[in-house]
């Protein structure tokens, strides 16, 4: 029973921002699961309101999952506190601001406030990213246990990367991270880690991203202070006790 449930949930996780819809044969081929099993699982999810099927027979996530996602979102990042704080930081910094939370061996953008400038960094809510590139990622990875970092390196084929470990050591020492053109060309990032409510572990990061020319030099100390001030507001209500 539990093995069947695990398999069904594994199929559900294949619905992502990059691949939001699947046909049965297509998903069976991509996962190596027998067509009949995929058909039965997707039909069951649709029957219970978690997926919907279009006229071409393709499946995509339903509003029922959106509803559950809103419940999870309110649990981890209460909008009445987090969103006004992010909006104020975006206004102060002039750049895109986003909150990311650790999820397994990746992180997910859960909240954001867009820059109002014409040239700006763009990230999507729900976007999942690896932890080895970008200030928002490294501000999380730097504070994870050695065994966790070793697992990340194995998955990303960066095992034994002394340069990366040196960078992460600096992040731990400074308490913040600054990167240039790591996650995207012409984009720089600044981020601070977010700690769990019991202060035992880093569960996410608060980041600012924008054009390299605007996130450099004299702007960095000012923006780091703004990030830290905003963190003071949102950290007490974000996430669960780690």
């Amino acid at each position: 029973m539990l093995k069947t449930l695990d398999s069904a949930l594994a199929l559900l996780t294949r619905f992502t921002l990059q691949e939001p819809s699947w046909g049965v044969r297509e998903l069976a081929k991509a996962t190596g699961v027998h067509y009949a099993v995929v058909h039965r699982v997707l039909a069951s999810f649709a029957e219970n309101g978690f997926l919907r099927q279009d006229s071409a027979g393709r499946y995509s996530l339903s509003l029922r999952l959106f509803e559950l996602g809103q419940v999870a979102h309110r649990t981890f990042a209460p909008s009445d506190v987090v969103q006004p704080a992010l909006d104020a930081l975006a206004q102060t910094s002039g750049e895109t601001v986003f909150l990311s939370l650790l999820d397994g061996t990746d992180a997910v953008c859960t909240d954001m406030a867009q820059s109002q400038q014409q040239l700006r960094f763009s990230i999507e809510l729900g976007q999942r990213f690896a932890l080895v590139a970008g200030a928002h990622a490294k501000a999380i990875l730097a504070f994870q246990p050695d065994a966790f970092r070793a697992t990340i390196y194995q998955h990303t084929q960066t095992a034994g990367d002394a340069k990366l470990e040196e960078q992460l050591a600096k992040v731990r020492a400074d308490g913040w991270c600054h990167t240039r053109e790591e996650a995207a060309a012409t984009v720089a990032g600044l981020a601070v880690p977010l700690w769990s409510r019991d202060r035992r572990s880093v569960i996410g990061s608060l980041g600012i991203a924008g054009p390299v020319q605007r996130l450099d030099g004299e702007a960095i100390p000012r923006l780091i202070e703004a990030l830290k001030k905003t963190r003071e507001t949102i950290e007490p209500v974000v996430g669960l006790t780690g």
Side-chain angles (χ1 to χ4, degrees), residues 195-232:
W195 289 85
S196 60
R197 295 180 189 179
D198 61 7
R199 307 298 298 176
R200 292 182 179 178
S201 59
V202 166
I203 60 170
S205 66
L206 177 63
I208 292 175
V212 170
Q213 63 268 28
R214 294 206 302 256
L215 269 71
D216 210 347
E218 296 180 359
I220 293 177
R222 173 179 62 84
L223 293 174
I224 289 298
E225 285 307 307
L227 278 167
K228 290 179 177 178
K229 184 176 180 180
T230 302
R231 179 175 60 181
E232 291 175 1

Side-chain angles (χ1 to χ4, degrees), residues 101-116:
L101 295 179
L102 183 64
D103 184 39
T105 56
D106 298 322
V108 178
C109 173
T110 62
D111 300 82
M112 65 176 298
Q114 284 279 15
S115 166
Q116 296 304 304

Side-chain angles (χ1 to χ4, degrees), residues 52-124:
R52 59 186 180 87
Q53 188 177 25
D54 64 20
S55 58
R58 296 180 66 81
Y59 288 89
S60 58
L61 300 181
S62 72
L63 289 178
R64 174 59 177 153
L65 281 173
F66 175 80
E67 183 182 5
L68 291 176
Q70 292 300 102
V71 175
H73 183 268
R74 288 177 179 273
T75 300
F76 285 94
S79 299
D80 56 339
V81 175
V82 173
Q83 196 58 53
L86 297 189
D87 289 341
L89 181 55
Q91 183 69 30
T92 299
S93 66
E95 307 297 346
T96 297
V97 176
F98 53 102
L99 170 67
S100 303
L101 295 179
L102 183 64
D103 184 39
T105 56
D106 298 322
V108 178
C109 173
T110 62
D111 300 82
M112 65 176 298
Q114 284 279 15
S115 166
Q116 296 304 304
Q117 302 208 51
Q118 190 171 20
L119 182 61
R120 64 191 183 192
F121 174 72
S122 180
I123 187 171
E124 295 186 61

